[in-house]
Amino acid sequence: MDMDVLLTRIRPGNDAETEAALRQFNELNLATFDFDPTYEEHRKKLCESIFVVLDKGASISCQVKCLEALRILSRDKAILAPVATKQNMEILMRKAKLDPETKALGDAAAFPVIVEALKCLCNIVFNSPVAQKLSLELNFVSGLCNVLEICMDQSLVINIRCFDLRLLFLLTILHTDIRPKLKHELKGLLLLTKTMESVLNIQWAKKYQTITKENAPAIPLQETDCTIEALKALFNVTLDSYTIHSEVEAHQFRLLASILRHILLSRGPSELKTEELHSNTINLLSNVPICCLDALTCSSMTEMAACKDEPDMQAIHCILKFMEKRIDKGSDFREGLTPVLTFLTECSRGHRNIRKYLKAVVLPPLKDVSNRPEVGSTLRNKLVRLMTNVDLGVKQAAAEFLFVLCKERVDNLLKYTGYGNAAGLLAARGLLAGGRGDRWYSDDEDTDTEEYLQAKPNINLITGHVEEPAPNPLDEMTEEQKEQEAMKLVDMFDKLARCKSYGVSLKSWCTFDQSLEKLKNVKSAPNEKLSQFHTCAVRCGLHLLPYTHPNNSEVLATHGKNIIKPMAVRSDGTMAPLEEAVHYTEFAEQASSDSD
């Protein structure tokens, strides 16, 4: 389309020709996002001409075409300098009804003008730093909240609400300092909550409990998009809302949690829209104070409850299903999965009934322990696999969730995950030697099944499952070979004990059943040391694995199926095989001895 010809046809007072010319331009550039730099000046002049037409006044249909063309042109950041002026922004504000003193939106026939003006403002504010500063100066936030108030009791305003909320979301992202004003002065928390209630046409059965119908129809597309925009705006408004300062604020958050529960039990027009809707809902739930999340589990007699006397867990069940879908997706764990895991962890810490339900679903009583905890398709297996994920945030979130479900008791966690999978969490918390976390929980209930109790003595604590019997390597050795291997070990332990830089005291061996075999006089003659080794190892069928702990000098032993090479700490603080560590120390002693 010839831009020179187009510019001659855009002029005030000639609505029909202007509308026809812009309709043709809009149809040609509807999907255009990369513009030809050659005509950059022509596009700037076109924007100026459009603003003149809008300022002078035109028919509703002509205004709509002008605003549509301006929305397309605002995709080009290079031409926004003459657009993002105070005068032009005020023109768009008038068209979008963003004057805080506005009392009504006018005739419904003019609603498309408001919608297009809001779309233009979204593009211009997003792409122009100058427009972002002007949005603060012109007090866009107050005007947007006023429009939401006016729309509360009107019909045919769903698009106005949607783009009003989108612009509000953009402003709260770009200007974090307006969030307190929006939340407190403009009562944004209550306003946005009421807006969602109005969009979804929610009805109340009683306080904090909405009426939900089984097999209810899906939420229409426009209402779904509007709800998503409201959820995103609310997320920004409620950031850092961990403490409650008044009963009124607690009531508002419980009201919000009840509406979020209603959304979790609803579905969008498609599977993708449902996932987006529930994802934003869970993100917002993570901002709700823990004490207000009791509204998620309103009392009712449903099949989802763990028992008849417990609260309804339908919303928690939906969140679990959402989490499992995200795990099965297998990608984008950090942004897609971490918020859900974190939310469920905090819920479990703060609400006993939620933790009890999650424990029953995620970690049911063990029966079959023939497979490793990370092998399988159950939710427990999937979460245990995440405990060794390459992403540190995902790994920590999954481990923390399972740890809280186990009431932060190390022995309970190891029962479900195995020591190998839980080692990272336990090391970070300083619980490698066992114990429990800092938070207090009620006493454990005995939930071990008969199958688990029978298999428990044969479970490998490292892998968390019953391994198939492996051949004993001692059976293939002659008595001379056994004595040679024993002699090598005892000699290395003797050298290690004489090396003060290691700080190791070989006082006892801890057998697999945790009974201690004392070693008397480690500096005795070789035949006595061999006798002691036979007492602890050959006679008992044990393969010893020395373990040095900063606060525990006892040497531990494991019931080895294969010969495990002993480890030790070198004088420089690093781990190494025992033989290498001793050699390193002897070399260091020689190098540091006086030459004369």
Side-chain angles (χ1 to χ4, degrees), residues 542-563:
L542 296 176
H543 305 289
L544 305 177
L545 174 63
Y547 171 77
T548 59
H549 190 275
N551 299 322
N552 184 5
S553 61
E554 293 183 347
V555 182
L556 307 180
T558 62
H559 190 273
K561 300 300 181 182
N562 301 304
I563 293 179

Side-chain angles (χ1 to χ4, degrees), residues 9 51 90 103-104 134-135 144 187 194 206 227 239 259 337 361 377 411 423 439 447 467 488 501 516 518 526 536:
R9 298 176 64 185
F51 275 110
E90 287 176 340
K103 302 299 181 183
L134 286 171
S135 66
L144 291 169
K187 300 180 179 178
K194 290 291 186 181
K206 58 182 182 180
T227 303
L239 278 173
I259 294 175
L337 187 61
V361 176
S377 59
D411 53 347
R439 188 176 291 267
T447 58
E467 296 179 337
K488 289 180 182 179
S501 62
L516 292 178
K518 297 293 182 180
C536 298

Side-chain angles (χ1 to χ4, degrees), residues 318-563:
C318 289
I319 296 173
L320 269 182
K321 289 297 182 183
F322 176 85
M323 180 184 72
E324 190 167 11
K325 286 181 181 178
R326 284 290 173 91
I327 296 175
D328 294 339
K329 192 176 179 180
S331 61
D332 195 24
F333 282 156
R334 175 174 285 274
E335 294 184 2
L337 187 61
T338 306
V340 195
L341 287 169
T342 304
F343 170 72
L344 289 175
T345 301
E346 295 304 318
C347 272
S348 300
R349 279 200 176 104
H351 296 273
R352 179 181 178 273
N353 53 357
I354 294 178
R355 184 184 71 249
K356 187 175 180 180
Y357 174 77
L358 290 174
K359 173 75 178 295
V361 176
V362 178
L363 300 176
L366 293 175
K367 293 183 179 180
D368 183 12
V369 287
S370 58
N371 295 322
R372 290 173 177 260
E374 66 270 20
V375 176
S377 59
T378 65
L379 189 52
R380 166 186 163 240
N381 302 140
K382 296 173 183 179
L383 287 169
V384 172
R385 283 198 290 272
L386 289 177
M387 294 176 73
T388 54
N389 191 272
V390 293
D391 190 301
L392 182 61
V394 175
K395 176 169 65 174
Q396 290 176 340
E400 192 73 18
F401 176 51
L402 293 175
F403 192 44
V404 170
L405 291 188
C406 295
K407 300 183 179 181
E408 300 190 23
R409 293 184 62 92
V410 174
D411 53 347
N412 285 353
L413 180 67
L414 298 183
K415 180 172 71 173
Y416 289 101
T417 67
Y419 195 91
N421 293 311
L425 172 74
L426 301 181
R429 282 176 160 261
L431 295 173
L432 284 171
R436 62 187 306 165
D438 299 330
R439 188 176 291 267
W440 181 88
Y441 296 89
S442 58
D443 293 336
D444 289 331
E445 298 177 359
D446 187 8
T447 58
D448 291 342
T449 61
E450 293 184 4
E451 295 89 341
Y452 175 78
L453 292 174
Q454 292 176 356
K456 185 176 180 180
N458 301 319
I459 294 177
N460 185 320
L461 296 180
I462 303 299
T463 61
H465 79 299
V466 177
E467 296 179 337
E468 295 182 359
N472 190 342
L474 292 178
D475 295 340
E476 300 177 359
M477 291 185 181
T478 64
E479 289 299 323
E480 292 183 359
Q481 290 175 328
K482 291 178 183 179
E483 290 188 2
Q484 290 176 359
E485 292 298 326
M487 206 53 206
K488 289 180 182 179
L489 282 175
V490 173
D491 287 340
M492 285 190 288
F493 291 154
D494 184 49
K495 292 179 181 178
L496 189 62
R498 288 187 281 106
C499 177
K500 295 182 180 179
S501 62
Y502 289 111
V504 178
S505 175
L506 303 182
K507 295 181 179 179
S508 61
W509 300 102
C510 180
T511 62
F512 186 71
D513 60 358
Q514 298 188 8
S515 62
L516 292 178
E517 294 284 351
K518 297 293 182 180
L519 289 180
K520 302 177 182 178
N521 190 12
V522 294
K523 294 184 178 181
S524 56
N527 59 339
E528 294 178 359
K529 287 184 284 187
L530 179 60
S531 175
Q532 292 168 10
F533 180 82
H534 277 295
T535 302
C536 298
V538 178
R539 183 170 56 82
C540 300
L542 296 176
H543 305 289
L544 305 177
L545 174 63
Y547 171 77
T548 59
H549 190 275
N551 299 322
N552 184 5
S553 61
E554 293 183 347
V555 182
L556 307 180
T558 62
H559 190 273
K561 300 300 181 182
N562 301 304
I563 293 179

Side-chain angles (χ1 to χ4, degrees), residues 33-51:
F33 291 88
D34 296 321
F35 296 88
D36 187 355
T38 307
Y39 297 100
E40 184 176 310
E41 292 300 322
H42 290 79
R43 289 194 296 275
K44 289 181 180 180
K45 292 179 180 179
L46 179 57
C47 289
E48 293 173 354
S49 300
I50 289 174
F51 275 110

Side-chain angles (χ1 to χ4, degrees), residues 214-405:
E214 294 184 5
N215 302 320
I219 303 173
L221 179 60
Q222 288 183 320
E223 282 75 4
T224 302
D225 289 337
C226 190
T227 303
I228 290 172
E229 296 299 333
L231 290 169
K232 292 192 293 185
L234 270 167
F235 179 84
N236 291 340
V237 172
T238 56
L239 278 173
D240 304 324
S241 299
Y242 302 113
T243 56
I244 299 296
H245 301 288
S246 66
E247 287 295 329
V248 175
E249 194 174 6
H251 166 72
Q252 291 177 359
F253 275 111
R254 284 193 170 91
L255 186 69
L256 175 60
S258 303
I259 294 175
L260 297 180
R261 177 185 182 276
H262 181 91
I263 296 173
L264 287 171
L265 301 181
S266 306
R267 56 189 177 90
S270 65
E271 186 175 348
L272 288 177
K273 278 295 178 183
T274 301
E275 183 178 357
E276 184 181 1
L277 183 66
H278 288 177
S279 176
N280 283 283
T281 302
I282 295 169
N283 289 343
L284 179 54
L285 275 170
S286 63
N287 287 350
V288 177
I290 297 297
C291 62
C292 298
L293 290 176
D294 51 0
L296 280 179
T297 58
C298 55
S299 299
S300 62
M301 307 295 283
T302 64
E303 295 180 358
M304 290 295 179
C307 70
K308 293 183 178 181
D309 298 331
E310 291 192 354
D312 183 8
M313 292 292 171
Q314 290 186 80
I316 304 299
H317 180 78
C318 289
I319 296 173
L320 269 182
K321 289 297 182 183
F322 176 85
M323 180 184 72
E324 190 167 11
K325 286 181 181 178
R326 284 290 173 91
I327 296 175
D328 294 339
K329 192 176 179 180
S331 61
D332 195 24
F333 282 156
R334 175 174 285 274
E335 294 184 2
L337 187 61
T338 306
V340 195
L341 287 169
T342 304
F343 170 72
L344 289 175
T345 301
E346 295 304 318
C347 272
S348 300
R349 279 200 176 104
H351 296 273
R352 179 181 178 273
N353 53 357
I354 294 178
R355 184 184 71 249
K356 187 175 180 180
Y357 174 77
L358 290 174
K359 173 75 178 295
V361 176
V362 178
L363 300 176
L366 293 175
K367 293 183 179 180
D368 183 12
V369 287
S370 58
N371 295 322
R372 290 173 177 260
E374 66 270 20
V375 176
S377 59
T378 65
L379 189 52
R380 166 186 163 240
N381 302 140
K382 296 173 183 179
L383 287 169
V384 172
R385 283 198 290 272
L386 289 177
M387 294 176 73
T388 54
N389 191 272
V390 293
D391 190 301
L392 182 61
V394 175
K395 176 169 65 174
Q396 290 176 340
E400 192 73 18
F401 176 51
L402 293 175
F403 192 44
V404 170
L405 291 188

Side-chain angles (χ1 to χ4, degrees), residues 89 92-102 105 114 117-118 121 138-147 164 167 171:
M89 297 295 282
L92 291 176
M93 279 185 68
R94 289 198 301 271
K95 299 302 177 183
K97 303 293 183 181
L98 293 187
D99 185 353
E101 302 301 324
T102 301
L105 298 179
I114 301 175
L118 287 169
L121 286 172
L138 297 172
N139 197 14
F140 274 22
V141 175
S142 296
L144 291 169
C145 290
N146 183 60
V147 171
D164 184 288
L167 183 54
L171 292 175

